[in-house]
Amino acid sequence: MTAAAERLAESLREHFHNRLDRVWVAQGQVTAELPAAELLPICEVLHGHPDFGFEMLMDLAGVDYLHYGISEWSTEEATEAGFSRGVEQATSGWFSYEDAPVQTGSHRGPRFAVAYQLLSISHNRRLRLKALCEDDELPIIDSVTPVWASANWYEREAFDLYGIVFDGHPDLRRILTDYGFIGHPFRKDFPLIGKVETRYDPEQARVVYQPTSIEPRVLVPRTIREDYRYLDRGGEGKEAGDA
């Protein structure tokens, strides 16, 4: 599998030369990173050229690198106090959008990207493409629906959840969130508690929207149970056969 992946990677480098930013193999998976301007013409070649033959787009997903490399989890350092997300306010999504400052992670480059998972049935191999959106304020990238019709709903999902605009999409509308929803819930600066909540108002006899009333709180388990299965065998822990 690794040899086949290396051959595919080398074929991509030879065919596209400097049109791809980089190509690498990890865990038997070939990944090619390319600029947004090259996405559609390269996808047309990958689909139609007999040396590649990627007939199927298996998946498409948006990526937000805003908090890349930042963690709110405390695990081994919090042995006596338990562990939980939100032990320390490290990102802007856990707390309310207004109260938490937007912090950037270790990623260098554009904030948004789109990842494409391609499958070639004729050659029995896969390829991952990653295209970077140049504008962080309004991420725009070409739609690949002219190449793979299956991209239609995937691109609508990425538009809905990440706010990535797919230029040339035949019907770019929200697909998962409610009518009138404001914001994009998979963006890292979108609060996990949301911005609005719904309730039934008996006086108006209808469902109404209001600002969320949930107060963010840290949930840290305080009970740490010692289990002999995980203690050092040379220490005081019980052996498996002890009564």
Side-chain angles (χ1 to χ4, degrees):
M1 179 63 73
T2 303
E6 292 290 352
R7 287 195 298 270
L8 174 58
E10 187 60 30
S11 178
L12 291 168
R13 296 186 187 100
E14 292 179 356
H15 191 94
F16 295 107
H17 301 289
N18 58 353
R19 296 175 65 188
L20 298 174
D21 290 335
R22 60 188 182 123
V23 180
W24 70 96
V25 178
Q27 305 297 322
Q29 171 75 54
V30 182
T31 303
E33 185 176 295
L34 67 161
E38 293 283 0
L39 175 65
L40 191 55
I42 286 180
C43 285
E44 291 173 346
V45 174
L46 292 175
H47 176 272
H49 198 286
D51 290 348
F52 300 111
F54 288 99
E55 308 97 337
M56 298 185 66
L57 171 70
M58 303 301 295
D59 194 14
L60 178 159
V63 183
D64 183 0
Y65 288 107
L66 179 64
H67 296 317
Y68 184 80
I70 298 178
S71 176
E72 291 179 340
W73 290 82
S74 182
T75 54
E76 295 179 357
E77 296 81 6
T79 306
E80 301 299 328
F83 59 91
S84 172
R85 188 176 195 274
V87 171
E88 294 183 4
Q89 183 179 345
T91 64
S92 60
W94 199 94
F95 293 84
S96 65
Y97 183 82
E98 291 76 16
D99 296 339
V102 175
Q103 303 181 44
T104 57
S106 59
H107 177 73
R108 296 295 177 265
R111 171 180 172 179
F112 295 100
V114 182
Y116 304 81
Q117 312 295 333
L118 308 182
L119 171 65
S120 171
I121 299 177
S122 56
H123 296 289
N124 189 27
R125 59 191 181 187
R126 296 175 183 268
L127 171 65
R128 178 188 296 118
L129 295 180
K130 185 173 72 169
L132 302 174
C133 304
E134 297 179 357
D135 190 348
D136 291 350
E137 297 299 324
L138 181 60
I140 300 178
I141 198 167
D142 286 333
S143 171
V144 296
T145 51
V147 183
W148 298 287
S150 60
N152 191 313
W153 281 23
Y154 294 140
E155 290 181 348
R156 285 181 60 187
E157 181 183 47
F159 164 72
D160 191 357
L161 301 180
Y162 289 93
I164 299 173
V165 177
F166 292 88
D167 188 24
H169 190 283
D171 186 23
L172 195 61
R173 293 177 292 128
R174 290 184 181 269
I175 193 172
L176 294 176
T177 55
D178 199 2
Y179 298 106
F181 190 90
I182 298 175
H184 304 283
F186 274 20
R187 288 192 173 190
K188 298 302 182 182
D189 52 6
F190 192 90
L192 296 184
I193 60 174
K195 297 182 179 180
V196 297
E197 63 183 18
T198 59
R199 66 176 179 86
Y200 180 77
D201 190 325
E203 295 182 358
Q204 302 183 50
R206 66 180 180 88
V207 173
V208 297
Y209 291 82
Q210 63 186 31
T212 181
S213 59
I214 302 174
E215 294 185 4
R217 62 185 187 275
V218 177
L219 300 177
V220 180
R222 297 297 180 182
T223 302
I224 305 298
R225 297 180 176 88
E226 293 185 355
D227 193 321
Y228 73 91
R229 294 173 297 175
Y230 307 115
L231 296 179
D232 184 2
R233 293 299 185 182
E236 298 179 357
K238 293 182 180 180
E239 295 293 340
D242 291 347

